Amino acid sequence: MLAYGLLALVLSTVLAVVTWGVVSDYLNNQRDSSAVTITSDNAAALRYGLFGVPVPCNPARVRGECDSPQAADGVHPMDLLNSLPSTDAAASMLYFEKHWYALTGKPSDLPPDLIQTALDGNVVSRRVEVSGQPVLAVGVPVGRPNEAFFEWHPLTALDNTLLRLKLTLIAAAIATALVGLAVGRLASTLALRPLAELTRVADAVARGKLDARLLAEEDRDLGGLARSFNQTAAALERRVAADARFAGDVSHELRTPLMTMLNSMQLIQNHRAELPAAVREPVELLGDDLDRFRRLVIDLLEISRDDGGDRGSREIVRIADLVRAAADATAGREVTTVEPEAEGLTLQADKRRLERVIANLVENAEDHAGGCKGVGVEAGGLGVIITVDDAGPGIAAEDRTRIFERFGRGETSGRGRGVGLGLAIVARHVQWHHGTIQVTTRPGGGARFIVELPAKSS
């Protein structure tokens, strides 16, 4: 776009400069020629009025020794000046027999060197200013040495014409540059439209919309790229779907033996007092690992359900009530604080998914970060802001994106005990609700998870 605009500006500027130079020179030359012709004609009329028919010069005589014309008797120069035809001259002055005769204008306004040049027998013209107005002063000899006729012609009309021409050329150059910018923008838009579409579809695939495809396979320039991209996206979609089915199938297959092991462990723990002391600690460790195994299977089922295209169901949910119930139940105590302006906020949500978001964040704080310090609900952001504070060491800045990846654990956050799917599920469910989640540092220490959802007042 800039290239088109600059090219148009350069071309229009060059054309404007050339046009200005040619036209202004032509008009100035025409004006000078016209003024000199008019003054010369008037000088010729004065010459005949003053001297009658000039005395012919004998060619055999030395140049400069020809007889000078003799003044006609009874003719007054002022009468002759009054009898001159009307022209655009603003002043007419005659220097005759060492006297000045003038209808208008003052001889003192004429440059002395211009007067002398005319008195020396040469036709002369020059642009001067008289009373602040530009004029063209012209001097023409009238026949005898040291006698000449002078006129000045106003140049205001010519200057106005040249000013209008200059403004027109400048406006044309600017307009041409703007047209060039518009054409460049149109051309770049048309040329880059397939790439913009590619960027949009690639971004959609990166955000998890694996069924996004390019519609430019018939484009002669980008058809090959579009087909390759679509094939890659389709292969990725099939691979993710296969992995999701595999994870779901494995999780389902694990549920039955897992339930058997959990029931057996519960039975053993119920008779813990009857176990030998040497067996109690291994049984407790086994119970903890079975609990982690249970959570892993549940999380895998959740992830596979999302990857498998589960669209869920939306219903109007009162956010404050849902957060209060899910957070307090997970923590086993009251940890939720709801601001008054957030009590009436509602959201079209999947209740199961939203409850899982709150439960996972509180469970993460309880199990891996020294306990949940509180859950807050307030109006703001996209509509409602939900915060979950913990008492842990906080999360380093370089880990704040990694912890939301599958099986991602912060290397410096002290959260290595989790299975690494809980926060990934949280991020997926928040995105499903068109919200955002981020991690900051809680005032006083620890981490603060901030969830923003597009809620509105009921």
Side-chain angles (χ1 to χ4, degrees):
M1 182 181 69
L2 291 176
Y4 269 90
L6 290 175
L7 179 61
L9 179 61
V10 169
L11 292 178
S12 60
T13 301
V14 171
L15 181 61
V17 170
V18 172
T19 302
W20 166 258
V22 172
V23 174
S24 62
D25 287 346
Y26 174 78
L27 292 179
N28 280 310
N29 291 335
Q30 284 291 101
R31 182 56 176 158
D32 290 354
S33 176
S34 174
V36 170
T37 299
I38 292 173
T39 305
S40 297
D41 290 344
N42 289 336
L46 287 174
R47 184 182 306 115
Y48 281 98
L50 290 171
F51 308 118
V53 179
V55 177
C57 180
N58 185 348
R61 304 178 68 177
V62 180
R63 184 174 181 178
E65 296 181 359
C66 294
D67 294 334
S68 298
Q70 301 298 316
D73 295 334
V75 178
H76 196 277
M78 288 300 298
D79 294 335
L80 293 176
L81 288 176
N82 283 320
S83 66
L84 292 177
S86 299
T87 63
D88 64 351
S92 298
M93 291 167 286
L94 173 66
Y95 186 76
F96 180 69
E97 295 182 346
K98 300 182 180 181
H99 293 283
W100 281 102
Y101 301 91
L103 291 178
T104 56
K106 296 181 295 182
S108 59
D109 291 331
L110 294 173
D113 59 330
L114 182 142
I115 296 174
Q116 188 60 47
T117 301
L119 293 178
D120 289 341
N122 300 307
V123 177
V124 61
S125 64
R126 185 181 305 171
R127 185 186 181 103
V128 297
E129 283 194 3
V130 177
S131 300
Q133 298 296 322
V135 298
L136 181 66
V138 182
V140 178
V142 293
R144 297 189 305 193
N146 296 320
E147 293 178 347
F149 175 65
F150 301 91
E151 284 185 337
W152 62 61
H153 301 260
L155 297 177
T156 303
L158 176 62
D159 287 350
N160 290 336
T161 299
L162 293 176
L163 177 61
R164 286 194 295 270
L165 174 63
K166 182 187 295 183
L167 294 177
T168 300
L169 292 174
I170 292 174
I174 295 174
T176 304
L178 294 177
V179 171
L181 287 173
V183 172
R185 182 175 180 83
L186 177 62
S188 62
T189 300
L190 293 176
L192 298 178
R193 183 177 296 169
L195 296 181
E197 180 68 12
L198 174 61
T199 301
R200 185 189 65 80
V201 175
D203 181 65
V205 171
R207 287 185 284 106
K209 191 176 180 181
L210 300 181
D211 59 345
R213 296 292 185 273
L214 281 173
L215 303 179
E217 292 192 5
E218 302 303 321
D219 189 283
R220 64 179 183 180
D221 296 319
L222 295 178
L225 176 62
R227 285 188 291 272
S228 298
F229 180 88
N230 289 341
Q231 292 170 2
T232 302
L236 177 62
E237 184 180 19
R238 289 193 297 270
R239 177 64 180 271
V240 170
D243 291 345
R245 286 194 301 270
F246 175 76
D249 293 342
V250 170
S251 301
H252 280 290
E253 291 296 327
L254 289 175
R255 293 184 69 179
T256 299
L258 177 61
M259 292 303 299
T260 301
M261 288 187 288
L262 288 174
N263 291 333
S264 301
M265 179 55 64
Q266 186 63 44
L267 179 62
I268 293 173
Q269 289 178 341
N270 290 340
H271 296 277
R272 182 175 181 278
E274 302 174 10
L275 296 175
V279 179
R280 292 176 186 173
E281 184 176 359
V283 168
E284 290 179 358
L285 294 175
L286 181 60
D288 291 341
D289 285 341
L290 280 176
D291 185 59
R292 290 185 65 217
F293 189 29
R294 176 187 64 82
R295 293 183 185 181
L296 176 60
V297 171
I298 293 173
D299 287 346
L300 283 174
L301 284 172
E302 188 77 17
I303 288 287
S304 63
R305 184 184 293 116
D306 275 357
D307 290 343
D310 180 20
R311 298 183 179 275
S313 60
R314 295 183 183 270
E315 58 182 299
I316 298 178
V317 175
R318 200 177 188 88
I319 299 176
D321 295 342
L322 184 145
V323 172
R324 187 183 291 115
D328 294 351
T330 303
R333 63 187 187 282
E334 292 185 3
V335 293
T336 307
T337 302
V338 180
E339 298 295 331
E341 66 272 13
E343 285 286 357
L345 295 177
T346 60
L347 171 67
Q348 284 277 354
D350 185 320
K351 188 175 180 180
R352 179 188 63 81
R353 281 185 167 96
L354 195 53
E355 286 177 341
R356 189 66 186 273
V357 168
I358 305 303
N360 278 13
L361 290 176
V362 174
E363 186 177 88
N364 182 75
E366 287 286 299
D367 294 345
H368 313 305
C372 179
K373 297 293 291 183
V375 177
V377 182
E378 60 183 61
L382 298 175
V384 65
I385 299 175
I386 303 170
T387 59
V388 179
D389 295 339
D390 63 40
I395 301 175
E398 61 270 19
D399 293 334
R400 291 178 181 177
T401 302
R402 186 185 307 141
I403 59 173
F404 292 109
E405 299 173 357
R406 296 183 184 186
F407 298 103
R409 300 183 179 90
E411 296 178 359
T412 62
S413 63
R415 298 174 185 265
R417 185 172 173 269
V419 297
L421 288 177
L423 293 180
I425 292 172
V426 168
R428 288 288 295 273
H429 288 352
V430 169
Q431 183 183 9
W432 189 89
H433 286 92
H434 307 292
T436 63
I437 183 170
Q438 59 177 323
V439 186
T440 62
T441 301
R442 179 179 70 88
R448 169 172 289 178
F449 288 79
I450 303 174
V451 178
E452 292 188 21
L453 297 172
K456 60 181 180 179
S457 299
S458 59

